[in-house]
């Protein structure tokens, strides 16, 4: 393995660790810190933020086994790309919309971890570990799947009057 590949692999491992630890800590803080609020306790798992953090953390765990291998399928890169876009969407919506409406209260540790640290580390990891050139234009359509699935889920929750 060439030296630059080894260096990229090391960066990827560090970034994956940052994603996993930040996602887990952020989710735990979200669940514990807001037990009495509408976005706390067990209800945190109903939100796209937590679901996309769980997804990208799981993908990073799997990515530990995939990193550095030359026989990784194109499907894996598509899945990694979709997960990264989902968590990026979470970060962008939080920073551009929600943080402005919540003001200084938005910048609690759980929000910073799940909406800023995890997305940034996941994006950097995609560039360090991914082979973006293997993606085709048609593959980009896969990034719509998580938001569409969540919209269906949220629609069902609304109709069923879930809290």
């Amino acid at each position: 393995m060439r030296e630059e590949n080894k260096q990229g692999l090391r960066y990827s491992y560090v970034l994956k660790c940052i994603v996993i630890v930040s996602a887990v800590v952020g989710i735990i803080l979200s669940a514990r810190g807001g037990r009495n609020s509408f976005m706390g306790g067990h209800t945190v798992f109903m939100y796209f933020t937590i679901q996309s953090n769980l997804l990208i953390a799981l993908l990073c765990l799997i990515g530990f086994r995939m990193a550095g291998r030359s026989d990784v399928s194109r499907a894996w890169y598509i899945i990694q790309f979709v997960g990264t876009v989902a968590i990026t969407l979470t970060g962008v919506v939080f920073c551009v919309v929600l943080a402005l409406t919540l003001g200084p209260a938005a910048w609690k540790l759980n929000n910073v971890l799940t909406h800023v640290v995890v997305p940034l580390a996941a994006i950097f990891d995609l560039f360090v570990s991914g082979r973006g050139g293997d993606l085709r234009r048609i593959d980009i359509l896969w990034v719509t799947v998580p938001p569409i699935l969540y919209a269906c889920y949220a629609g069902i929750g609304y109709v069923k009057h879930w809290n």
Side-chain angles (χ1 to χ4, degrees):
M1 184 179 281
R2 294 190 345 232
E3 186 58 38
E4 59 268 7
N5 290 349
K6 288 181 185 177
Q7 188 69 19
L9 191 58
R10 280 187 284 246
Y11 287 141
S12 181
Y13 284 136
V14 169
L15 290 165
K16 283 174 179 31
C17 286
I18 292 170
V19 167
I20 293 165
V21 170
S22 297
V24 169
V25 171
I27 290 168
I28 290 170
L29 290 174
S30 296
R32 294 189 61 129
R35 279 184 270 189
N36 297 323
S37 69
F38 81 98
M39 288 182 65
H42 68 281
T43 62
V44 296
F45 296 99
M46 296 177 71
Y47 296 97
F48 189 76
T49 294
I50 302 302
Q51 294 171 7
S52 60
N53 270 268
L54 287 170
L55 172 65
I56 199 70
L58 177 64
L59 291 175
C60 284
L61 276 172
I62 295 168
F64 273 115
R65 291 196 28 86
M66 308 296 259
R69 291 177 47 183
S70 60
D71 62 338
V72 178
S73 71
R74 202 171 70 75
W76 169 252
Y77 291 110
I78 294 170
I79 292 167
Q80 184 184 18
F81 178 67
V82 168
T84 304
V85 170
I87 196 66
T88 302
L89 177 63
T90 297
V92 168
V93 168
F94 177 80
C95 291
V96 174
V97 179
L98 296 176
L100 298 176
T101 61
L102 295 173
W107 301 106
K108 294 179 183 175
L109 182 58
N110 63 314
N111 285 334
V112 171
L113 290 173
T114 59
H115 294 98
V116 179
V117 176
V118 172
L120 287 174
I123 291 166
F124 290 137
D125 184 46
L126 180 71
F127 285 110
V128 169
S129 67
R131 292 189 328 220
D134 288 348
L135 295 174
R136 299 182 191 135
R137 275 195 187 159
I138 193 74
D139 297 335
I140 294 170
L141 293 176
W142 287 108
V143 302
T144 62
V145 171
I148 289 171
L149 288 175
Y150 184 77
C152 293
Y153 167 76
I156 292 167
Y158 178 77
V159 168
K160 297 277 190 178
H161 304 289
W162 295 343
N163 290 331

